[in-house]
Structures are given as C-alpha cells and as structure tokens.
Amino acid sequence: MPQGAVPAETARELKERIEAEREGGPFLVYRDGEDGQVILPLADDPGRLAVGRSETADLTLDFDDEVSRVHAELARVGGEWAVLDDGLSRNGSFVNGERVAGRRRLRDGDALRFGGTLVLYRSPLEAEAETVPAKDRLEAADVTPTQRRVLVALCRPFGSGSEFAAPASNREIADQVFLSVDAVKANLRALFERFEVGDLPQNKKRVRLAELALRSGVISPRDLEG
C-alpha cells in the first residue's frame, strides 16, 4: 500500500482507526470536503455501495468535481470486496494507480482513487490471516526488540479507550521500558528514519510513526492492551 494514502493526521484520527480495526470488519477511510476523516464500515448486507457525486450514493463524494454522479460501485463478490467500474465515470476509478476496467478485487491496504479523492480500503482480518513470511512482510520496517518496546509504549495510550488519547511522551515511554529519556530519544530518532517520517513537522512525526508501526504489523492493537 502506498503509505501516503489517506494518512492519519491527528492522534484522534489514529484512535478512530484503531477502534475500527478492533471491530474486525472491512472499512473505508477517506477525507471529506472539509478535510475531515471519514470511516465507512462495509457491511455484508446489502453488500453493494454506489460511489458518486449524487446525493443518493452510499459513498457520496459531492465535494469532488472530478467524480461523476454515478461513478462506480463497491460490491461483495464471493465473500470479498471489489471495485466495479463499467465505464460509467468520465475520469475512471483506480486501485494503487492502475485504472479499473470492469472488476478489481480489493486487498487490505489498497489505495482507491475516484476522481481526485483517495480512499483507503482496510480489511483487518485479512491482514491477520496473511501467510506471507514475517521477514518479507516486515522487511521495510524491521526493528530491534528495544525499538519495538518503544513503539508499543508510544502507541499504548490508544488502547485505553480515552477520547483524548495521544502518543506517549518520552518520559512515559522511558518509565515503561526502563530506559533513560535520552535512550528513548535515540531510539525514536532511529525509528523516524526507519519509517521515513523524519521530514515531517515535529507535531506529526509521532502520530505518523504510530500509524505506520500498526499498519506494517510491527505492533498490533492487541499489543496495546493491558
């Protein structure tokens, strides 16, 4: 998945995504016309959603002039979700940058684009069931045991259920993993580079790092319990 597709911008947004993952069912994430995060669960019934600018669409993108009134459909086919685009839209539908012609099955983490709007498809149960060897799956985000402990501590506040959860401070992490604050800072600097978030503004680095740690599988929502 392109890691830049619909990233969480705030601690609140990340918490909402973690809660959606815990539900286990597939869902979509996109931004509305005011740049607010929208999470749309995909239900088995009716198992079909219309995408478009029309007010009657299930996934209404009326803020995007590049989206047709009837643009595409999302449908549950054979127990899995797919994008259906039979040429009704002027600008087409894309999955991971490739134009959809007819039907395209979706995989956890796929980046969809309708007009100028990016939509992230998540299927947490599918991600857990992957049989890809761990080494290959985590190759881009391989971390040391100490760095993993730091990541778990960084993300643990999101497991508390608090509406005001935010990534743990350096002091909070140090107290949990029995390291000095300077050691925590050094590990975080290494993690910022490992996950390629070093160039982000300081107030966004920690949230993005937490999101990518969860998204990559280095840690899971279950690690945040307790």
Side-chain angles (χ1 to χ4, degrees):
M1 179 196 84
Q3 294 286 16
V6 201
E9 296 289 347
T10 66
R12 186 185 184 89
E13 290 184 355
L14 180 55
K15 179 177 178 294
E16 292 172 349
R17 296 191 190 200
I18 292 173
E19 290 175 346
E21 287 187 18
R22 283 180 171 149
E23 293 295 323
F27 60 92
L28 304 175
V29 185
Y30 64 99
R31 295 196 173 280
D32 61 22
E34 298 180 352
D35 202 33
Q37 174 173 271
V38 179
I39 294 180
L40 177 64
L42 298 176
D44 292 346
D45 183 17
R48 200 173 190 95
L49 289 82
V51 181
R53 229 165 6 98
S54 170
E55 293 181 357
T56 61
D58 303 288
L59 175 53
T60 304
L61 305 177
D62 55 0
F63 53 87
D64 188 340
D65 292 338
E66 296 181 23
V67 173
S68 300
R69 285 185 59 79
V70 180
H71 196 100
E73 287 186 311
L74 293 173
R76 191 165 176 81
V77 181
E80 297 177 334
W81 284 90
V83 176
L84 284 64
D85 190 324
D86 296 321
L88 293 176
S89 63
R90 180 182 60 188
N91 293 318
S93 305
F94 296 79
V95 176
N96 299 331
E98 297 181 3
R99 185 159 186 162
V100 176
R103 178 185 299 176
R104 171 72 176 263
R105 175 190 171 190
L106 295 177
R107 301 276 190 177
D108 177 59
D110 279 348
L112 291 63
R113 181 165 64 81
F114 305 109
T117 302
L118 280 173
V119 179
L120 173 65
Y121 172 76
R122 290 300 326 275
S123 180
L125 293 181
E126 176 188 333
E128 290 183 5
E130 285 182 349
T131 56
V132 179
K135 182 179 183 301
D136 294 337
R137 181 165 56 89
L138 304 179
E139 182 176 358
D142 198 16
V143 299
T144 68
T146 298
Q147 289 171 346
R148 186 180 183 282
R149 287 163 51 212
V150 168
L151 283 172
V152 171
L154 176 77
C155 299
R156 180 158 283 137
F158 295 108
S160 67
S162 170
E163 179 181 357
F164 305 103
S169 67
N170 292 339
R171 169 51 64 188
E172 290 169 335
I173 296 172
D175 290 343
Q176 287 189 49
V177 300
F178 305 106
L179 292 174
S180 68
V181 171
D182 286 341
V184 168
K185 290 179 179 179
N187 277 280
L188 284 173
R189 283 195 296 269
L191 288 165
F192 289 152
E193 294 304 316
R194 177 79 68 178
F195 285 86
E196 299 181 351
V197 299
D199 293 334
L200 290 178
Q202 194 64 36
N203 65 336
K204 293 187 177 181
K205 282 183 182 180
R206 299 167 81 91
V207 170
R208 187 67 58 82
L209 175 60
E211 178 190 10
L212 295 181
L214 287 157
R215 181 68 192 89
S216 67
V218 172
I219 61 174
S220 73
R222 293 178 182 174
D223 293 321
L224 311 184
E225 298 174 359

